[in-house]
Amino acid sequence: MRTYIPTLLICISFLLITSCSNTQMESEITALKAELEETQAKLAEAENRQAEFIHTVFFWLKEGVTEEDKTTFMEGLESLRNIDGVKRSWVGPAAQTPREVVDNSYDMALVLHFANAEDQDAYQVAPVHLAFIDKSAHVWTRVQVYDTLGE
């Protein structure tokens, strides 16, 4: 029996060393898995969060435009708000802000927010948008567009 004791102690020591190493390795593996899952979640979130696309259009109307033409123009602007992909929209005249850096020369502005550039591209060829241009182009002398990427 005495001859088995050293062998038994060696086996117990080996098991303890191995189990400690396994426990430590399991702990490290668990931590690495958690870090990997966190990184994957952040990457998925970043892929889903594209830059919002903001399309701002300023219109200068011709002198002597009839009230009927103005009404058709405004109805057309309002119709653009309902095109698929438009998240938010604003339509309004220049605020006539009395500061040198402010351009108050335009008559009407349209601001459309899209989830991404692809939605804005689809808006450009939407039948409602093309019909608006066709029906209202004769009332303006100038159109200026500013496209912006936002968060």
Side-chain angles (χ1 to χ4, degrees):
M1 176 117 168
R2 285 185 174 246
T3 58
Y4 292 108
I5 292 178
T7 306
L8 185 58
L9 287 175
I10 291 172
C11 287
I12 291 172
S13 297
F14 178 77
L15 287 173
L16 286 174
I17 291 170
T18 306
S19 71
C20 286
S21 295
N22 284 344
T23 302
Q24 186 178 7
M25 283 182 13
E26 285 175 10
S27 176
E28 288 178 21
I29 289 171
T30 302
L32 286 172
K33 282 182 181 178
E35 188 177 333
L36 177 62
E37 287 173 5
E38 183 180 336
T39 301
Q40 287 173 330
K42 285 180 181 177
L43 285 173
E45 182 182 327
E47 285 176 11
N48 290 332
R49 187 178 359 117
Q50 297 177 344
E52 187 170 314
F53 195 98
I54 303 164
H55 181 66
T56 307
V57 187
F58 297 93
F59 298 91
W60 286 260
L61 302 182
K62 290 181 178 177
E63 292 288 328
V65 171
T66 67
E67 287 304 313
E68 183 180 333
D69 282 341
K70 283 183 185 177
T71 300
T72 301
F73 172 72
M74 291 304 295
E75 288 170 353
L77 284 178
E78 290 296 328
S79 73
L80 299 176
R81 298 172 125 179
N82 299 316
I83 294 176
D84 285 343
V86 174
K87 289 175 50 176
R88 288 187 300 279
S89 62
W90 292 269
V91 173
Q96 300 306 318
T97 311
R99 295 192 331 253
E100 283 185 37
V101 296
V102 177
D103 179 358
N104 290 300
S105 66
Y106 65 93
D107 294 295
M108 193 60 61
L110 168 71
V111 181
L112 301 174
H113 286 231
F114 299 90
N116 51 50
E118 291 78 18
D119 287 351
Q120 192 274 342
D121 290 342
Y123 159 86
Q124 289 297 326
V125 295
V128 172
H129 181 241
L130 297 176
F132 165 73
I133 294 169
D134 188 49
K135 287 180 183 176
S136 298
H138 70 281
V139 303
W140 61 69
T141 59
R142 178 179 169 203
V143 175
Q144 182 66 53
V145 176
Y146 294 98
D147 289 334
T148 309
L149 295 177
E151 289 186 27

